[in-house]
């Protein structure tokens, strides 16, 4: 079991990943990336950082498996219940009254936020009227999410409590089925959701601008130069008057692109696009 | 003695009164940043800073992700995020899974701070009911920093300090008053 790696080890793995998969991790937050790489080293049974880098270079690990393992899961449904309540009661009705309203989730891993949003749309009465575009970083994530995810008891307990604080309109249990103590969300929640693979948000093609983009706690993993590029991409993908939602302890202040937005809910970090 | 760049404090059950006494004793011009990782309810985002601020002469802040670390401030790990210090002295926050049933995890905060500050970090573990923080304090020792635990005899719940003393050879076992005196001498 590898429990720590140094900066040189991390750089060696970053080089192997770039050379083998064409994925550039050099501008990711060091501490978070290091911890994800340690997780991956142990998941793939490597005995050291060098051994892991060697496996990558020999293509003993596919790019899809690597991305799936390194990606961070969201650890609960309805994280920050007050945000989801705000979305259901105020922002979702506002954007969903328009015809052809679309919401973008550019990075869906374990599916918690996608299903939370689907439940919000359902409870706000807009499930059939609003389309969600969800991008997952790997094919494995797509498979997982399309079958309703796979959630353990601990996550379900935390999520039940969050759903109660969100003041849901039914029982959280009505949205999932249990198999061998693991929960799968009901596939009908995904009726108006398109799910595709896109491992790099900067390469995502946005053909029509969105009324809302939800990208919570994903900026945490980037250093400022990459963070700035991603924010520009998010802002460009929004129509004027559209909303960007980020994590409650994230900030846009280190990006010039934030000047195109105004904050409309400081507690929940909801921004509205002012100008193109 | 005056070479230290930061002080990190970890605590859990029984630490609130101790932390309050410590920060109340620090003058408004205290020069070192103080980083606090205290176990707290995940779903209650507000109120903790306000409660701690009542007796503090220094500003107490929950840092946003990527915020630069500044001297003369007290930073509190926000609810439901792990708090790290990156090289270049900026905070980073993370929503990774809980560690030792905790988010924020004291171990994770200490790991990153000790890696960043090396021997220029003072690590302090206070009263608490689980072993989170023990390996973190060991990482302070391993990186050449200075370690203090609150005297277990004084702790409301001594599990965390005892676990820390079992995990590493700590430099000082201090009462709250001795911790305060020590911190004042660093100024």
């Amino acid at each position: 079991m590898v429990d720590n790696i140094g900066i040189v080890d991390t750089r060696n793995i970053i080089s192997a990943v770039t050379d083998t998969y064409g994925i550039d991790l050099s501008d990711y937050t060091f501490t978070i990336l290091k911890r994800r790489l340690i997780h991956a080293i142990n998941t793939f049974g490597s005995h050291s950082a060098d051994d892991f880098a060697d496996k990558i270079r020999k293509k003993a690990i596919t790019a899809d498996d690597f991305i799936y393992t390194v990606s961070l899961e969201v650890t609960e449904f309805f994280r920050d219940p007050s945000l989801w309540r705000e979305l259901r009661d105020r922002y979702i009705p506002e954007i969903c009254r328009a015809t052809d309203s679309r919401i973008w989730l550019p990075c869906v891993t374990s599916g918690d936020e996608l299903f939370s949003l689907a439940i919000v749309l359902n409870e706000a009465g807009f499930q059939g009227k609003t389309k969600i575009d969800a991008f997952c970083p790997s094919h494995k994530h797509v498979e997982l999410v399309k079958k309703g995810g796979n959630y353990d008891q601990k996550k379900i307990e935390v999520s039940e409590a969050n759903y109660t604080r969100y003041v849901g309109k039914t029982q959280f249990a009505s949205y999932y089925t249990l198999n061998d103590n693991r929960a799968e969300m009901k596939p009908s929640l995904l009726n108006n959701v398109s799910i595709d693979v896109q491992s790099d948000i900067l390469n995502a093609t946005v053909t029509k601008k969105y009324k809302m983009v939800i990208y919570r706690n994903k900026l945490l993993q980037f250093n400022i130069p990459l963070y700035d590029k991603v924010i520009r991409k998010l802002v460009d993908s929004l129509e004027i008057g559209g909303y960007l939602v980020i994590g409650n302890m994230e900030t846009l202040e280190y990006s010039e692109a934030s000047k195109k937005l105004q904050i409309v809910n400081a507690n929940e970090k909801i921004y509205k696009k002012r100008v193109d | 003695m005056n070479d230290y760049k930061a002080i990190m404090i970890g605590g859990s059950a029984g630490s609130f009164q101790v932390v309050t006494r410590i920060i109340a004793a620090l003058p408004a011009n205290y020069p070192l940043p103080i980083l606090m990782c205290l176990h707290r309810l995940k779903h209650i985002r507000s109120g903790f800073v306000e409660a701690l601020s009542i007796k503090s002469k220094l500003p107490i802040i929950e840092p946003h992700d990527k915020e630069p670390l500044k001297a003369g401030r007290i930073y509190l790990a926000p609810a439901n995020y792990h708090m790290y210090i990156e090289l270049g002295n900026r905070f980073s926050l993370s929503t990774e899974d809980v560690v030792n049933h905790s988010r924020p995890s004291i171990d994770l905060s200490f790991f990153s701070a000790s890696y960043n500050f090396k021997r220029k970090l003072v690590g302090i573990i206070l009263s608490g009911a689980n072993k989170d923080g023990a390996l973190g304090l060991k990482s302070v020792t391993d990186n050449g920093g200075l370690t203090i635990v609150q005297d277990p005899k004084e702790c409301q719940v001594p599990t965390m300090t005892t676990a820390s003393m079992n995990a590493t050879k700590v430099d000082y076992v201090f009462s709250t008053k001795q911790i305060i005196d020590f911190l004042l001498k660093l100024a």
Side-chain angles (χ1 to χ4, degrees):
Chain A
M1 174 106 176
V2 174
D3 59 10
N4 201 9
I5 59 175
I7 201 160
V8 174
D9 297 324
T10 306
R11 284 185 182 146
N12 285 344
I13 297 171
I14 289 172
S15 293
V17 169
T18 306
D19 295 346
T20 312
Y21 308 136
I23 298 168
D24 182 6
L25 299 175
S26 61
D27 216 4
Y28 278 59
T29 310
F30 176 71
T31 306
I32 298 175
L33 177 63
K34 184 172 89 164
R35 287 183 49 74
R36 295 313 298 167
L37 292 177
I38 292 168
H39 168 72
I41 288 169
N42 291 318
T43 301
F44 290 111
S46 291
H47 55 78
S48 68
D50 284 347
D51 178 50
F52 183 59
D54 199 41
K55 269 187 184 163
I56 291 170
R57 289 190 185 280
K58 288 178 177 161
K59 298 192 176 175
I61 300 164
T62 67
D64 204 69
D65 279 344
F66 175 81
I67 295 167
Y68 179 78
T69 307
V70 166
S71 298
L72 263 179
E73 288 189 7
V74 178
T75 56
E76 57 202 85
F77 292 77
F78 291 98
R79 182 187 161 108
D80 303 313
S82 52
L83 164 77
W84 298 99
R85 210 165 46 235
E86 278 288 292
L87 292 181
R88 180 191 64 196
D89 296 343
R90 177 167 180 186
Y91 297 97
I92 293 289
E94 181 189 321
I95 64 167
C96 293
R97 278 192 199 104
T99 54
D100 192 24
S101 61
R102 294 156 73 244
I103 300 174
W104 188 26
L105 271 66
C107 183
V108 172
T109 53
S110 44
D112 311 35
E113 291 216 314
L114 173 60
F115 288 110
S116 299
L117 177 63
I119 291 169
V120 165
L121 284 173
N122 184 305
E123 296 191 355
F126 294 104
Q127 197 193 3
K129 298 165 191 161
T130 300
K131 189 164 177 296
I132 303 173
D133 288 343
F135 286 2
C136 297
S138 75
H139 292 280
K140 267 188 141 170
H141 285 113
V142 171
E143 268 176 48
L144 175 75
V145 171
K146 279 188 172 171
K147 74 176 187 61
N150 183 0
Y151 306 105
D152 64 21
Q153 195 64 35
K154 184 182 81 172
K155 181 179 271 195
I156 292 302
E157 281 169 15
V158 172
S159 301
E160 296 265 14
N162 285 347
Y163 182 79
T164 301
R165 292 189 187 98
Y166 149 80
V167 194
K169 296 195 171 172
T170 176
Q171 300 294 315
F172 187 63
S174 67
Y175 292 111
Y176 64 80
T177 51
L178 273 178
N179 286 317
D180 294 333
N181 268 340
R182 300 194 69 92
E184 288 182 5
M185 304 306 286
K186 293 189 172 166
S188 59
L189 287 167
L190 300 179
N191 278 351
N192 226 15
V193 179
S194 95
I195 304 174
D196 287 309
V197 178
Q198 180 51 265
S199 60
D200 184 350
I201 183 176
L202 296 177
N203 292 332
T205 305
V206 176
T207 49
K208 189 168 184 302
K209 296 198 174 189
Y210 291 95
K211 289 201 180 296
M212 179 175 280
V213 177
I214 300 178
Y215 198 69
R216 300 180 69 231
N217 298 315
K218 310 292 185 195
L219 295 167
L220 305 178
Q221 58 191 324
F222 307 134
N223 289 330
I224 287 177
L226 180 54
Y227 148 101
D228 180 49
K229 286 181 195 164
V230 171
I231 291 171
R232 273 189 275 151
K233 177 80 179 188
L234 298 173
V235 174
D236 285 347
S237 67
L238 271 178
E239 62 178 49
I240 291 176
Y243 295 102
L244 172 63
V245 187
I246 61 172
N248 69 294
M249 292 309 292
E250 292 181 300
T251 174
L252 300 179
E253 72 176 284
Y254 308 112
S255 171
E256 281 289 303
S258 65
K259 290 178 179 166
K260 295 182 176 178
L261 306 170
Q262 68 177 109
I263 193 150
V264 292
N265 187 320
N267 285 335
E268 308 303 344
K269 291 292 168 66
I270 303 174
Y271 295 80
K272 188 171 193 172
K273 186 167 176 180
R274 294 186 301 116
V275 291
D276 250 331
Chain B
M1 192 83 169
N2 290 323
D3 203 19
Y4 294 110
K5 297 284 187 201
I7 295 154
M8 180 167 265
I9 300 175
S12 183
S15 69
F16 181 78
Q17 294 86 341
V18 183
V19 166
T20 306
R21 275 184 66 194
I22 291 171
I23 59 182
L26 300 175
N29 61 351
Y30 195 76
L32 295 174
I34 296 181
L35 316 168
M36 299 196 302
C37 185
L38 306 176
H39 288 167
R40 53 190 295 185
L41 292 171
K42 284 198 306 171
H43 61 278
I44 306 229
R45 299 196 313 217
S46 59
F48 204 0
V49 164
E50 292 80 357
L52 288 170
S53 296
I54 292 170
K55 292 192 174 173
S56 176
K57 300 169 198 78
L58 291 157
I60 302 181
I61 296 159
E62 289 175 317
H64 281 79
D65 181 56
K66 305 187 197 334
E67 187 167 328
L69 175 71
K70 292 182 180 166
R73 295 180 182 196
I74 298 173
Y75 293 96
L76 175 69
N80 217 2
Y81 286 92
H82 297 300
M83 180 179 78
Y84 303 141
I85 305 295
E86 298 295 326
L87 298 171
N89 288 352
R90 280 184 186 269
F91 287 94
S92 71
L93 302 177
S94 161
T95 56
E96 289 160 272
D97 207 353
V98 295
V99 172
N100 299 320
H101 311 287
S102 309
R103 186 171 53 215
S105 154
I106 301 168
D107 274 347
L108 295 192
S109 285
F110 272 89
F111 289 158
S112 73
S114 61
Y115 187 80
N116 186 44
F117 293 113
K118 302 283 191 296
R119 65 180 180 79
K120 298 184 177 181
L121 179 71
V122 177
I124 304 174
I125 292 290
L126 305 175
S127 173
N130 78 0
K131 63 182 175 55
D132 190 28
L135 291 177
L137 201 68
K138 180 177 182 302
S139 77
V140 178
T141 306
D142 294 346
N143 280 287
L146 186 138
T147 54
I148 299 170
V149 296
Q150 185 187 2
D151 190 338
K153 292 198 287 289
E154 191 200 69
C155 292
Q156 264 186 36
V157 189
T159 311
M160 194 177 278
T161 48
T162 306
S164 299
M165 291 165 75
N166 289 335
T168 189
K169 186 177 181 314
V170 300
D171 292 301
Y172 299 110
V173 179
F174 277 168
S175 67
T176 306
K177 182 175 181 314
Q178 288 172 311
I179 293 172
I180 292 168
D181 290 343
F182 181 87
L183 294 181
L184 291 174
K185 277 186 207 155
L186 293 182

